[in-house]
Amino acid sequence: DTQAMMCAITVGTVGTELSTGEKIMTRMGGMTAKGGAHKRKDMAAMLTEGSVPQATWPDWLLVGMEKMRIAPSAVNKQPWAFTVARDGDRWVISILETPGGYAIGTLKFAALDTGIAASHLALALHARHPDVSVEETDGHAVWTLSVTD
């Protein structure tokens, strides 16, 4: 049983002011108990136990990880976590889908959202390190990116 989904993503930044239509869609898409859209997670909330401490990351990795952190996801659920590890002179970042992603009936968006986040990270890292390699593990929503220091 496989599921294919066509999608297009926008890469870039937008202004901070929302149009009236954007404000309405934000309210309709992700209501919280206080009536607003979900807030983005803090970097520490996405980092798995046993990862290399964030304080030791080089600047280029911090920039790339921030691009992943702010990547779009359905209703800002951000259904991913990541591990940052060292393997000799290589930085290895593994991104995995976590429970709790947005769904409409049987259509679940967590794998798509995780792929978008991984793509944002890969693009940001590739801009500074052309030797970024990407592997998909287990064929489903587990990405591993490696960069030589």
Side-chain angles (χ1 to χ4, degrees):
D1 180 27
T2 62
Q3 183 179 33
M5 183 182 306
M6 295 293 286
C7 69
I9 63 169
T10 303
V11 177
T13 59
V14 295
T16 56
E17 293 295 317
L18 297 177
S19 69
T20 301
E22 289 170 324
K23 289 176 185 174
I24 291 169
M25 293 306 292
T26 298
R27 291 260 183 218
M28 289 174 59
M31 300 301 284
T32 64
K34 295 184 179 183
H38 291 276
K39 303 261 186 229
R40 293 196 184 279
K41 293 177 185 174
D42 181 85
M43 184 82 71
M46 297 179 177
L47 193 61
T48 61
E49 205 172 309
S51 287
V52 173
Q54 187 176 343
T56 65
W57 298 353
D59 289 341
W60 56 264
L61 181 56
L62 286 167
V63 168
M65 297 302 277
E66 178 63 11
K67 298 299 182 195
M68 180 181 65
R69 188 189 75 79
I70 65 172
S73 65
V75 197
N76 272 348
K77 290 279 193 166
Q78 296 175 288
W80 59 82
F82 55 86
T83 302
V84 177
R86 290 298 305 253
D87 181 12
D89 65 344
R90 297 187 72 72
W91 287 89
V92 181
I93 302 102
S94 297
I95 307 153
L96 59 143
E97 178 184 328
T98 59
Y102 186 68
I104 299 173
T106 60
L107 184 59
K108 297 178 182 176
F109 293 92
L112 174 64
D113 290 342
T114 303
I116 291 169
S119 296
H120 275 69
L121 174 61
L123 287 169
L125 293 180
H126 187 72
R128 289 163 179 78
H129 286 277
D131 70 332
V132 172
S133 64
V134 179
E135 299 172 23
E136 186 176 331
T137 307
D138 298 329
H140 179 58
V142 178
W143 294 59
T144 301
L145 293 90
S146 299
V147 183
T148 302
D149 215 358

